[in-house]
Amino acid sequence: MGEDGSGKALRSAGVGVLDRVVAILDAVETRPMGASELARHLGLSVPTAHRLAQAMVGHGLLLRDAEGRHHIGHRFASTALATAAIPVLDELRDQTGETAQIWVRRGELRLCLACAESPSELRASLPVGTLLPLSDKGSAAEVLTAERSADRWFESVSVRTPGLCSVSAGVRYGAEVVAAVCVAGPVSRVAPEGPGAQWGELVAAAARRLEEVLQYR
């Protein structure tokens, strides 16, 4: 775009931040680019391109790889992830008898993107669209805030809500954990070994299935 004059058009038209964000998305959709290349491509200063790209990474609009190149971010995979999650969560609910959910990070909060509720009258129940703080230390929050953890799953017992427990596993998009698959239920229905021993491998397998969906979207 820099060579065909599009960068000059961006400057001369007095384009705002939103337009620059869209221009960056258009550019990296064609091929991955670092901040300096984005600056040349769009006719922006390097500090401006770097600042915008960094903010977009923070909001999940861009994904930065190990070489410093930017790709389309995981936020754009949310619709595909929610759609793909429904049958996976249904199966996980049927396997465990408990509520299965998928959570994604939204700033310092986590959002319930999809849910398959347990048929039991006593169950963990949070509707789709629920927002909870990442600081609550539930198993899904632990997954979403872990720094490249090698753990297959995290469990929590009576941490966020007394009497409830959960186990969660991360869904990766590239090298980044972008979602957490979670099974939650009453402590009274969990084996003495804990929710991780009872459901951990099933939850981890569900997370791997969703990773395959994102890989080929």
Side-chain angles (χ1 to χ4, degrees), residues 75-111:
R75 183 66 73 95
F76 295 99
S78 292
T79 300
L81 185 58
T83 301
I86 293 172
V88 174
L89 295 180
D90 285 346
E91 181 177 348
L92 190 57
R93 184 263 324 275
D94 294 344
Q95 290 172 324
T96 63
E98 305 296 347
T99 297
Q101 306 158 332
I102 187 163
W103 295 84
V104 294
R105 184 168 184 165
R106 292 292 182 261
E108 294 306 309
L109 302 172
R110 56 184 173 108
L111 168 71

Side-chain angles (χ1 to χ4, degrees), residues 18-71:
L18 180 59
D19 299 282
R20 289 179 176 181
V21 166
V22 172
I24 289 172
L25 292 173
D26 287 343
V28 300
E29 193 170 31
T30 303
R31 70 175 187 279
M33 297 185 192
S36 296
E37 186 177 3
L38 280 170
R40 293 193 300 271
H41 194 69
L42 299 175
L44 301 172
S45 69
V46 172
T48 295
H50 179 76
R51 184 173 65 252
L52 286 171
Q54 188 174 39
M56 291 169 71
V57 169
H59 288 290
L61 299 175
L62 291 180
L63 177 67
R64 189 172 185 270
D65 64 25
E67 287 73 43
R69 300 172 303 177
H70 296 90
H71 307 250

